[in-house]
Structures are given as C-alpha cells and as structure tokens.
C-alpha cells in the first residue's frame, strides 16, 4: 500500500495518559499535515510540517499537543495528559511540491482516539 | 479569513435521482484552490477533485460533475443517477495557492444518504 499510513487505527487512553499518533507519508512526499475531526464536525487544521521543521502550527492547541517529523521515521502527533475533549479522529495528510505549488493532499485512514 | 460553508447538513434521496451538494466559500486571496473529499462510513477521506481559481471550466468525471462559479463564490458538486455506494459525508475545502502552509479549510460536510 503506497498511501498515507496512520497507526494505530484506534487508540484508547485514560484521562491523564499520553497518546502518540504516527503517520508515514506517501513515498516521495515531504509535506505532512495533521487535522482533527471532532464528532459530527468537519476537519480542522492543526499543524503543517516538513522534514525536521514545523512550518505552521497555528491550529495546534498551545498546551499538551506537539508534533514532529524527524529526518528518519514517521511524523508523530503527541498529546500529553489527555482529557475527554481530545476524543476525536486525527487525520494525517501528505503532499509533494511541483514548483511553488503544493500538490493535492492525500489523507490516511485516520486514528480514532477515545478517552475513557 | 478563509471560510467554507456547506449549508446542507443532510440530504436523503432515492437511488437514481440526481443530487447537488452546495459549497460557498470566502477568501481574500485572488489565487486559491477548491477541493471536494468524500468520507464513506468506513471513515477514510477520499480525494475527488481540485480546482484552481483561474479555471472556471466545469468538470465531469463519470457520474460526478462540478460547477465552479467565481461570481457567486460557489463550487457545487452534482451526482447524476445516484447509487447507494454514493452514501457518505462530502466535504468541500479551500486552500491558498501561494507559498506557505497551504492548509485546507473544510466546510462542515454534507451527509448524503442514497436509499434503495
């Protein structure tokens, strides 16, 4: 499968624990985006990363959330001390670039995070 | 600020009917992209189309067609001869086209149910 790979598909955590969500972009893609989808809502942008750089984190909550995209390995979205309100589907998307324009973002299947 | 409005929260039609999903957008950018994504009950996001702001030609792909009207800031999506497999939530989205984050701004989605 050459698509965007996210794991785990489902993640259950208790309040106060940490959640780590992983995203491997499509082969050849160097741009990664994270979005959050709350129940019955559309997707909201969280963060945009390129290898080893955070380009735009304007949609990321200021506390408890962090993201990285290391030189080697997948992108990680980390949520510390989770609360019930963090329950959502978290989608990762990747794209490449032709000239000055990013190409369409292709999405992974998402990680459904449930907080008990 | 960019905004996408999908006024139809839910639509239900009988199989073989034609159905149009509305999308209205707001942006101050003169150059931008518009997208449609499909989210079937299994939850993944499927890319359907990308349109840039300079290309107002309507597009047809099989039973799907898109009507881009810059004068009314609309990018509507029509499914002809609908089928049960078209049942899904459909999202319209907008992104700037200049260098930078190119994050997607999504509408709230329209839940389409095709009844046999």
């Amino acid at each position: 499968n050459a698509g965007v790979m996210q794991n785990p598909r489902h993640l259950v955590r208790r309040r106060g624990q940490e959640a780590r969500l992983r995203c491997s972009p499509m082969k050849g893609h160097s741009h990664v985006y994270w979005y959050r989808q709350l129940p019955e809502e559309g997707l909201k942008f969280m963060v945009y990363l390129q290898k080893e750089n955070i380009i735009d984190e304007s949609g990321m909550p200021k506390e408890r959330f962090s993201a990285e995209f290391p030189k080697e390995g997948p992108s990680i979205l980390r949520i510390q001390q989770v609360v019930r309100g963090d329950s959502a589907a978290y989608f990762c998307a990747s794209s490449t670039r032709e000239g000055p324009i990013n190409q369409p973002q292709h999405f992974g299947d998402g990680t459904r995070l449930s907080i008990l | 600020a960019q905004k996408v409005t999908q006024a139809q929260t839910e639509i239900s039609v009988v199989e073989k009917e034609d159905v149009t999903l509305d999308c209205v957008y707001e942006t101050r950018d003169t150059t931008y992209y518009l997208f449609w994504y499909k989210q079937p009950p299994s939850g993944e996001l499927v890319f359907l189309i990308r349109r840039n702001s300079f290309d107002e030609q309507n597009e047809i792909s099989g039973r799907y067609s898109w009507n881009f009207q810059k004068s009314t800031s609309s990018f509507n999506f029509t499914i002809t001869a609908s089928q049960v497999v078209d049942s899904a939530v459909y999202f319209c989205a907008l992104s700037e086209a200049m260098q930078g984050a190119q994050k997607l701004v999504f509408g709230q989605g329209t839940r389409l149910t095709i009844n046999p």
Side-chain angles (χ1 to χ4, degrees), chain A residues 31-33 45 47-50 53-56 97 102, chain B residues 100-101:
Chain A
H31 303 257
V32 166
Y33 306 77
F45 168 79
V47 62
Y48 164 42
L49 310 103
Q50 294 178 24
N53 284 305
I54 295 175
I55 308 301
D56 181 350
R97 197 168 179 91
N102 282 0

Side-chain angles (χ1 to χ4, degrees), chain A residues 9-20:
Chain A
R9 189 77 193 267
H10 299 275
L11 181 62
V12 179
R13 285 287 177 267
R14 296 188 180 280
R15 281 180 294 171
Q17 291 184 322
E18 178 180 286
R20 283 190 179 228

Side-chain angles (χ1 to χ4, degrees), chain A:
Chain A
N1 186 345
V4 178
M5 302 299 293
Q6 287 189 251
N7 68 82
R9 189 77 193 267
H10 299 275
L11 181 62
V12 179
R13 285 287 177 267
R14 296 188 180 280
R15 281 180 294 171
Q17 291 184 322
E18 178 180 286
R20 283 190 179 228
L21 288 62
R22 294 176 188 75
C23 170
S24 296
M26 283 181 72
K27 189 175 181 180
H29 286 193
S30 58
H31 303 257
V32 166
Y33 306 77
W34 285 94
Y35 294 83
R36 176 164 66 175
Q37 184 179 27
L38 294 170
E40 303 301 320
E41 293 189 13
L43 284 78
K44 296 285 196 297
F45 168 79
M46 298 180 76
V47 62
Y48 164 42
L49 310 103
Q50 294 178 24
K51 285 284 187 182
E52 299 185 280
N53 284 305
I54 295 175
I55 308 301
D56 181 350
E57 54 182 349
S58 58
M60 192 90 104
K62 293 287 184 267
E63 298 177 350
R64 301 187 298 108
F65 285 72
S66 62
E68 63 176 10
F69 188 17
K71 189 176 179 181
E72 301 290 337
S75 175
I76 306 287
L77 179 67
R78 182 182 177 208
I79 311 172
Q80 295 178 289
Q81 299 177 348
V82 295
V83 300
R84 288 240 169 92
D86 296 332
S87 295
Y90 291 83
F91 286 92
C92 170
S94 73
S95 71
T96 185
R97 197 168 179 91
E98 285 182 14
I101 303 299
N102 282 0
Q103 295 307 300
Q105 296 174 26
H106 292 268
F107 282 79
D109 288 346
T111 293
R112 272 86 187 153
L113 175 64
S114 298
I115 309 302
L116 302 179

